[in-house]
Amino acid sequence: MRLGFLIAILSLISCKKKDDVAAQLSVSPTTISFPAQGGTSDITLTCNAGWSISNPASSWLQISQATGNSGSATIHLTTVGQNGTGATRSGILDIHSSNGQAKRVTVSQQSTIYPDYNTTPKAPDATGMGSNAVQLAAKFKLGWNIGNTFEAPGGETGWGSPVITEDYIKFVKQQGFNAIRLPCAWNWHHLTNEATAQIDPNWLNRVKEVVGYCVKNDVYVLLNIHWDGGWLDQNCTLLKKDSVSAKVNAFWEQIGTTMRDFDEHLMLASCNEPTTNNAEEMNVLLSYHQTFINAVRSTGGKNSYRCLVLQGSSELINVNAFPTDPTPNKLMFEEHNYTPFQFTLMDGDANWGKMFYYWGAGHHSTIEPDRNPSWGEESELTKWFDRMKSMFIDKNIPVLMGEYGAYRRGGSGNVPKDLATHNDAIDYWITYVTKQALAHGIKPFWWDTGGLFDRRNNTVIDQRSLDALIAGTK
């Protein structure tokens, strides 16, 4: 019995030693921290069995090898780029061997931290800032967009438009427009340092120069962040919330500081046509608006009292959840109107629908009935105007129809067979929409990229459209 017991004990010890030999897994290092700009690093893995790595941080961390066999391996870790989330991000690599052992490697990446650009805040200055939002909007007769210019890649001539001159501003005003919307890019080709979100001072000063042309000539001007590669408008998500908010703050501290000495002729707008598909995304957008308001107000001077403009889907936005503004009664709302798109902007038939060449009561074609509208006529537009009035105007929040327009067909392959009726329909839409907007207290800003005015010679190209616009103001 004693001999059997001894044999059993020796057998257990032998098995334990054998299992220990079969269960070898080591990893070094077990903690890796990347800088905000990202980079590469290695881990050394040794195992005498098959192994695998689970990488839950694959959205920002790549590993050179996820599985292997017995022996030693060097695993290369690479970040996909800088961390612009506004917070340190981290992940745990879980390493398992086929013999049952497990190890963990904790990987983190610091966040890009933008500098404080509000280094010289001014004391609040109410000089020339006496109008509240309702009073200021009442001064706009008709608005004009200088499109495809300051929002173009590489500078104001990037999409073929000439540089903006003071004479052009004067010409636009002479035609009946006393307010100008200045769509502007800042991130797109205008950063001197992408890691710090520093805007090129030369670009800031050029934009300031054109704003000055407007203010000098008693023209109200709306300056925004417009498309700009989509970093803001296309990222109203919880995933991007921290990084976008950080850049919104950095940009508006710089823009606000540069523009804060202009009087109330200048308004600032936080974005352009942001995409929000649900309440959660709308709430993220509202947080961007809050960051925008805080940043502009913090620069002081006349910015402490400046009218600020917010965008968003009127079907999703909750006016009661509007951002908090320390300066009361200085917010406006902006939405665009190209209804129906198939008539106003569509430049080719699609599988979901065809272009409309005709629109409105008395302006349907009997020659080409398949190009008459199937939706989006007067009653549809009236619903929109009524909603804007009840949601905002009646609550003392002015509404800017920051873009609108309908444009004549005539290009290759898009020539209406009933051209006279088409041109009459364009005139009718322009006058109708302009008149209805103003009747509802909404201030219209026509979208133009050079089709109505020749910007090089300061002459009228499309007199019919201009006449229809002016008729809408009567």
Side-chain angles (χ1 to χ4, degrees):
M1 292 293 291
R2 289 182 178 177
L3 179 60
F5 180 78
L6 181 61
I7 290 172
I9 294 296
L10 290 173
S11 177
L12 284 171
I13 294 172
S14 176
C15 288
K16 189 174 190 299
K17 287 182 177 179
K18 185 177 180 180
D19 289 344
D20 285 346
V21 171
Q24 289 181 357
L25 174 62
S26 64
V27 180
S28 179
T30 57
T31 302
I32 296 173
S33 178
F34 287 102
Q37 299 310 310
T40 61
S41 187
D42 294 340
I43 59 174
T44 301
L45 185 155
T46 302
C47 187
N48 62 352
W51 53 267
S52 63
I53 302 177
S54 173
N55 177 21
S58 59
S59 63
W60 60 272
L61 181 69
Q62 298 173 348
I63 59 176
S64 62
Q65 187 177 347
T67 60
N69 299 313
S70 177
S72 293
T74 299
I75 313 299
H76 305 293
L77 278 58
T78 307
T79 61
V80 297
Q82 73 175 24
N83 176 13
T85 64
T88 298
R89 56 187 175 188
S90 62
I92 295 176
L93 303 180
D94 286 307
I95 305 170
H96 295 273
S97 69
S98 60
N99 59 28
Q101 282 207 326
K103 298 288 183 181
R104 285 186 161 190
V105 177
T106 301
V107 184
S108 62
Q109 184 182 10
Q110 299 299 311
S111 173
T112 307
I113 301 175
Y114 299 131
D116 178 8
Y117 289 105
N118 186 25
T119 57
T120 58
K122 285 188 173 182
D125 179 5
T127 308
M129 307 299 290
S131 301
N132 63 32
V134 172
Q135 292 165 339
L136 188 66
K139 299 178 183 181
F140 310 159
K141 297 176 182 176
L142 189 59
W144 182 260
N145 276 272
I146 305 181
N148 284 10
T149 307
F150 271 174
E151 81 275 32
E156 59 190 298
T157 61
W159 279 332
S161 296
V163 297
I164 303 168
T165 65
E166 186 174 359
D167 284 342
Y168 174 69
I169 301 300
K170 292 178 178 178
F171 172 75
V172 170
K173 183 180 180 182
Q174 289 169 357
Q175 306 311 309
F177 303 86
N178 76 329
I180 283 178
R181 183 170 178 261
L182 199 59
C184 194
W186 307 93
N187 185 72
W188 213 16
H189 307 282
H190 296 299
L191 298 184
T192 57
N193 189 331
E194 192 167 325
T196 61
Q198 182 180 30
I199 303 171
D200 183 353
N202 295 320
W203 182 245
L204 282 163
N205 289 331
R206 171 57 183 155
V207 177
K208 182 179 180 179
E209 182 178 35
V210 173
V211 171
Y213 296 160
C214 297
V215 175
K216 177 182 177 182
N217 288 280
D218 192 24
V219 173
Y220 297 92
V221 56
L222 176 61
L223 177 66
N224 72 354
I225 292 178
H226 191 98
W227 170 240
D228 213 8
W231 67 268
L232 192 165
D233 299 332
Q234 301 300 306
N235 288 299
C236 299
T237 64
L238 288 174
L239 181 65
K240 295 289 187 178
K241 181 178 178 180
D242 290 341
S243 60
V244 172
S245 289
K247 186 173 283 189
V248 168
N249 183 71
F251 277 15
W252 282 111
E253 284 183 342
Q254 295 172 78
I255 301 167
T257 297
T258 303
M259 308 295 169
R260 66 184 166 194
D261 293 332
F262 288 113
D263 69 11
E264 67 180 20
H265 279 81
L266 172 64
M267 299 160 289
L268 300 176
S270 59
C271 60
N272 175 73
E273 297 184 359
T275 300
T276 53
N277 299 301
N278 50 52
E280 178 181 276
E281 293 179 355
M282 177 56 70
N283 287 335
V284 172
L285 174 61
L286 290 173
S287 75
Y288 298 162
H289 289 331
Q290 186 67 69
T291 300
F292 157 69
I293 292 170
N294 294 346
V296 173
R297 297 290 186 230
S298 72
T299 61
K302 291 180 171 55
N303 282 345
S304 298
Y305 304 97
R306 192 169 307 287
C307 281
L308 305 179
V309 182
L310 312 180
Q311 276 201 33
S313 168
S314 59
E315 295 179 351
L316 290 173
I317 202 164
N318 180 356
V319 177
N320 295 325
F322 252 37
T324 301
D325 186 359
T327 308
N329 305 316
K330 289 284 189 172
L331 296 181
M332 300 183 184
F333 181 76
E334 177 186 351
E335 195 165 75
H336 300 167
N337 192 334
Y338 293 106
T339 302
F341 171 78
Q342 288 156 273
F343 177 72
T344 60
L345 285 176
M346 193 173 180
D347 59 2
D349 291 341
N351 57 9
W352 55 265
K354 298 172 64 175
M355 291 181 290
F356 303 157
Y357 292 157
Y358 314 101
W359 185 89
H363 298 89
H364 287 199
S365 174
T366 57
I367 297 172
E368 197 175 17
D370 63 319
R371 296 293 182 179
N372 289 331
S374 58
W375 73 284
E377 295 193 88
E378 291 96 334
S379 61
E380 190 75 23
L381 282 163
T382 298
K383 291 178 184 177
W384 185 82
F385 289 124
D386 288 344
R387 185 169 75 245
M388 294 298 104
K389 185 176 186 301
S390 62
M391 286 185 66
F392 304 104
I393 301 292
D394 291 347
K395 295 180 175 65
N396 292 318
I397 301 173
V399 174
L400 308 182
M401 190 164 67
E403 292 182 19
Y404 78 116
Y407 308 95
R408 301 179 195 282
R409 303 304 203 289
S412 176
N414 294 332
V415 180
K417 295 177 182 178
D418 192 350
L419 190 58
T421 301
H422 167 71
N423 282 323
D424 287 345
I426 293 289
D427 295 343
Y428 176 64
W429 188 96
I430 295 171
T431 298
Y432 179 87
V433 174
T434 304
K435 185 180 293 290
Q436 288 298 314
L438 291 170
H440 285 77
I442 299 165
K443 301 301 178 174
F445 285 69
W446 180 261
W447 178 260
D448 180 74
T449 60
L452 202 156
F453 295 154
D454 184 331
R455 299 183 185 180
R456 288 175 172 81
N457 301 313
N458 294 338
T459 56
V460 178
I461 297 173
D462 184 354
Q463 188 65 53
R464 285 190 67 159
S465 290
L466 178 59
D467 290 345
L469 278 164
I470 301 305
T473 67
K474 302 298 185 182

